[in-house]
Amino acid sequence: MSSSMSDQKLIKSFYIFIVLGVVLTLFLIFLGNLNAGTINDRQRDGRNSMAETANTDTLEPVGQISVADAGADQAEIIQVATVSIDGASVYQSACMACHAAGIAGAPRVGDVAGWADRIAQGADTLYAHAIQGFQGKAGVMPAKGGNMALSDDEVEAAVDHMVAESQ
Ligand code: HEC
């Protein structure tokens, strides 16, 4: 009986020992998690703020430069397109074939006498005849000189050039 009593005591203190050990282990795990958690949070905060700084550093200038440049380039291109209608070069590409030598009855550019009566009609009539085409006594002036890709403005610029060279 006494041996079983001491056995029970031994088992009891063994249990207490195990329970204390378990409690201590859980406590240590808890502490460890607590510590690790705060460190991770701090590291994460650090990384986040670094990432934010990196983002603003790299993205802002790229966005500003590309938008501003695109706008400036387009403005320049539009300006060049409106400014650069050059009557002389339109004349050379679309009108010179007939009007330089006076082919098929075309009034020759530089022939002051040949142009005097035509110029006397007024610029609007010359523009209309050049843009829409015109059948005269000397021959047929094809609409836009046969080059329908030309804008009205380009044809008018070419007429201005031809008139200026023929006065
Ligand atoms: C295929 C030949 C040909 C081409 C190309 C040509 N012309 Fe003519 N053009 C003529 C002929 C022919 C006349 C004269 C018609 C007439 O008076 O009988 C004429 C006349 C004109 C006149 C005088 C119109 C008037 O009322 O007296 C103008 C201005 C003119 N052309 C402008 C142009 C312009 C600008 C171009 C180029 C965009 C051009 N021509 C290209 C053949 C051509």
Side-chain angles (χ1 to χ4, degrees), residues 7-136:
D7 276 359
Q8 274 186 346
K9 262 188 178 171
L10 194 72
I11 288 168
K12 208 175 168 183
S13 51
F14 185 62
Y15 272 136
I16 289 169
F17 180 71
I18 284 180
V19 167
L20 277 178
V22 167
V23 166
L24 186 70
T25 308
L26 287 177
F27 181 66
L28 285 177
I29 288 172
F30 174 69
L31 258 189
N33 274 345
L34 208 68
N35 232 359
T38 41
I39 287 167
N40 279 345
D41 281 351
R42 272 192 222 124
Q43 284 176 338
R44 219 177 294 130
D45 284 352
R47 261 186 247 124
N48 278 347
S49 66
M50 269 163 64
E52 277 162 21
T53 327
N55 274 349
T56 49
D57 280 357
T58 51
L59 287 184
E60 248 178 41
V62 170
Q64 282 173 348
I65 287 168
S66 59
V67 168
D69 277 8
D73 285 353
Q74 275 179 344
E76 254 179 48
I77 289 164
I78 289 163
Q79 221 175 21
V80 166
T82 45
V83 164
S84 72
I85 293 182
D86 175 15
S89 58
V90 175
Y91 164 73
Q92 280 161 21
S93 67
C95 320
M96 210 174 97
C98 294
H99 283 276
I103 305 283
R108 192 176 55 79
V109 169
D111 175 7
V112 176
W115 276 93
D117 287 349
R118 300 182 186 274
I119 292 169
Q121 299 174 105
D124 286 345
T125 302
L126 294 182
Y127 291 157
H129 283 169
I131 291 167
Q132 291 153 23
F134 140 83
Q135 166 75 70

